Amino acid sequence: MGMAAPAPLLPADPDPSFAELLAGRPHLSLHAQDGLTMEEVPLAAIARQVGTPTWVYSAGTLRRRYQALHAALADTGAEIHFAVKSNPNLAVVRTLAEQGAGADIVSEGEMRLALAAGIKADHIVFSGVGKTLNELRFALSRGIGQINAESAEELGMISAVAQELGVTAPVALRVNPDVDPKTHAKITTGKSENKFGIPIAEAPSLYGLAATLPGLRPLGVAVHIGSQITSGMSAYATAYQALAELVRLLRARGLTVERVDCGGGLGIPYRDEPAPNPAALAGAIRTALGKLEVKLMVEPGRWISGPAGVLLASVILQKHTGTRRFMILDAAMNDLVRPAMYEAWHGILPVAPADYVAPVSPCDVVGPVCETGDTFARNRGLPPMKPGSLVAFLDAGAYGAAMSSTYNSRPLAAEVLVDGTRFAVVRERQTQEALLAGQHLPDWLSTP
Ligand code: LLP
């Protein structure tokens, strides 16, 4: 009989320490005087000038990550189309456009933003399971580079709009390979029960149909199996293998296939997940698709923009109830919805140097919104913090500001871009007046 194991003194899976969180994020550093600093700009200086809550993005990180991905993919020749939905800030997209990025878009609004950021229309791919006729008209009239069609019905709509405009629509078929990327159910897209894509078994006949419909030019096939994929490369490898077989089958039937769009989804470590890296993605692409002589494309969002951003917030107050300590911030689920929506874990770092030496104890970090779901973290180790103290939510550059709302009539937060020693407000905080603008009382109500 073995000895009984001693009772654990520490939680089985303790959260990373402040030092560990900092170590993995080279654009953030801690200074004895200035506290938490992004590139060369103290976050406290941004909070003083712009207020909180504020999203802050590191231009250097956006460039570095784009270039790292570009370098990893270089020998595949894959073009990078940044998934604008992850961060539709004009200055962020412009920063990436300057590096050579194209765009993956899902609406007219995103296409207008990509064009305004200087991305050429032929470097834009239109994804999404339901594009309206007006969106298709807009995209085709501006010369979009590729539309990823997701059904026979949609092929019919694209054909009709192309004929109406007298243009030829460049289309790819987004197929659903029925693989499980083992990510959160709400962001899994490549399983057969998901709404996305064309079942791979139906793809050959639809590709044949696309080749006969007037106004369509089928260019290739596309896949996107899910987001925040951290389970290794096997789901990607399976999906890409299936795509390769499809390409060979289509070619054997005499159909032309020039492009394969490999989608996005590469995960990042929010806590301490062993996230796959671009070299692994490049390897999976190369192995399955490298010899097909097609133009390859990827559509990453989070991997590029996620780590580049923080959400800066202030403590409104701390309160104690029974055994729990609540830290109530001026940011809420309407700003950063990921914890409420996906049980997502985001690192939280204090900004003031003194808060790094004070003893930490567990607390629940929450926003002021009137829902229990407005909880950013439970039992997070943080020091006692006075009203006005600053904290930064890490890895908030993807699906952060992008998913904000004005729930509880809270204005949208400001957005700031940091570049070396410089910073600029790249999106103004929404004003209280703007929140009310556009609302009208009908004439049968009395004037207040
Ligand atoms: N391509 C398509 C067709 C997509 O639907 C998506 C993301 C991407 C590319 C980019 O995926 P990424 O590389 O960023 O994983 N709001 C969720 C994530 C939703 C992802 C939606 N589609 C979150 O906060 O985790």
Side-chain angles (χ1 to χ4, degrees):
M1 246 181 71
M3 280 174 30
L9 298 173
L10 292 167
D13 186 17
D15 286 333
S17 66
F18 295 157
E20 285 164 335
L21 289 173
L22 276 168
R25 291 161 180 85
H27 53 300
L28 297 176
S29 54
L30 186 64
H31 294 252
Q33 299 297 318
D34 293 333
L36 189 63
T37 298
M38 180 183 280
E39 302 194 19
E40 318 276 323
V41 181
L43 291 174
I46 294 175
R48 261 195 309 279
Q49 191 168 318
V50 185
T52 55
T54 292
W55 306 91
V56 189
Y57 309 121
S58 153
T61 305
L62 291 167
R63 293 190 195 105
R64 190 166 45 77
R65 294 185 75 85
Y66 178 86
Q67 288 305 338
L69 194 54
H70 189 262
L73 291 167
D75 72 337
T76 69
E79 275 182 11
I80 302 174
H81 296 119
F82 174 63
V84 172
K85 67 166 78 73
S86 73
N87 191 321
N89 180 283
L90 188 60
V92 166
V93 179
R94 178 67 193 147
T95 300
L96 294 170
E98 282 183 353
Q99 300 299 300
D104 171 73
I105 59 112
V106 291
S107 65
E108 176 177 338
E110 286 191 354
M111 179 147 177
R112 285 180 183 273
L113 189 122
L115 292 170
I119 297 178
K120 299 268 178 296
D122 65 1
H123 215 172
I124 301 179
V125 175
F126 198 165
S127 296
V129 69
K131 310 164 191 79
T132 67
L133 288 171
N134 276 340
E135 286 178 317
L136 291 170
R137 280 185 193 111
F138 178 80
L140 285 171
S141 65
R142 298 300 162 98
I144 187 129
Q146 178 174 314
I147 302 177
N148 289 351
E150 301 212 15
S151 60
E153 292 78 358
E154 189 172 46
L155 284 173
M157 287 170 71
I158 301 169
S159 168
V161 173
Q163 290 177 82
E164 169 193 318
L165 299 176
V167 298
T168 301
V171 295
L173 290 195
R174 173 169 175 185
V175 300
N176 183 325
D178 193 21
V179 299
D180 184 358
K182 304 211 166 45
T183 181
H184 194 284
K186 286 185 186 160
I187 53 176
T188 295
T189 52
K191 287 170 71 180
S192 61
E193 71 258 31
N194 301 138
K195 68 179 172 182
F196 297 98
I198 294 160
I200 197 153
E202 292 169 28
S205 64
L206 247 61
Y207 204 94
L209 172 73
T212 59
L213 284 178
L216 295 190
R217 178 163 172 236
L219 290 173
V221 291
V223 73
H224 172 76
I225 55 176
S227 192
Q228 182 54 11
I229 298 173
T230 55
S231 56
M233 277 295 137
S234 69
Y236 277 113
T238 309
Y240 295 159
Q241 208 54 58
L243 272 192
E245 277 162 34
L246 175 62
V247 171
R248 284 189 276 267
L249 179 79
L250 294 172
R251 284 177 171 169
R253 294 188 181 184
L255 296 158
T256 307
V257 185
E258 299 163 40
R259 299 183 185 175
V260 174
D261 180 344
C262 299
L266 203 56
I268 57 170
Y270 284 96
R271 192 171 182 272
D272 46 12
E273 303 90 325
N277 61 30
L281 179 68
I285 291 175
R286 210 182 293 116
T287 306
L289 304 162
K291 297 212 171 68
L292 284 180
E293 292 183 0
V294 285
K295 174 166 140 184
L296 292 165
M297 304 146 71
V298 291
E299 306 167 347
R302 184 190 325 259
W303 196 88
I304 294 174
S305 59
V310 302
L311 172 61
L312 192 57
S314 302
V315 175
I316 298 178
L317 57 86
Q318 278 196 128
K319 72 178 226 180
H320 294 84
T321 62
T323 56
R324 298 200 85 79
R325 171 164 70 108
F326 290 96
M327 191 179 295
I328 301 168
L329 303 179
D330 65 355
M333 66 187 288
N334 73 296
D335 302 298
L336 179 64
V337 77
R338 301 194 68 257
M341 195 151 174
Y342 316 109
E343 296 84 38
W345 192 100
H346 281 263
I348 304 174
L349 286 177
V351 172
D355 290 333
Y356 284 81
V357 289
V360 302
S361 61
C363 87
D364 289 0
V365 183
V366 302
V369 161
C370 306
E371 295 204 27
T372 302
D374 186 23
T375 297
F376 292 117
R378 283 174 62 82
N379 291 319
R380 192 64 66 86
L382 286 169
M385 291 174 86
K386 292 199 188 61
S389 305
L390 297 167
V391 296
F393 287 91
L394 305 182
D395 310 312
Y399 308 108
M403 295 178 79
S404 303
S405 75
T406 57
Y407 185 38
N408 278 211
S409 293
R410 295 168 45 86
L412 296 176
E415 293 174 70
V416 163
L417 186 68
V418 168
D419 193 358
T421 56
R422 298 176 288 191
F423 75 91
V425 175
V426 291
R427 184 181 186 148
E428 292 165 20
R429 186 177 308 288
Q430 192 176 31
T431 62
Q432 294 290 348
E433 293 69 30
L435 263 186
L436 269 177
Q439 300 206 52
H440 303 285
L441 295 174
D443 57 10
W444 64 81
L445 288 177
S446 58
T447 307

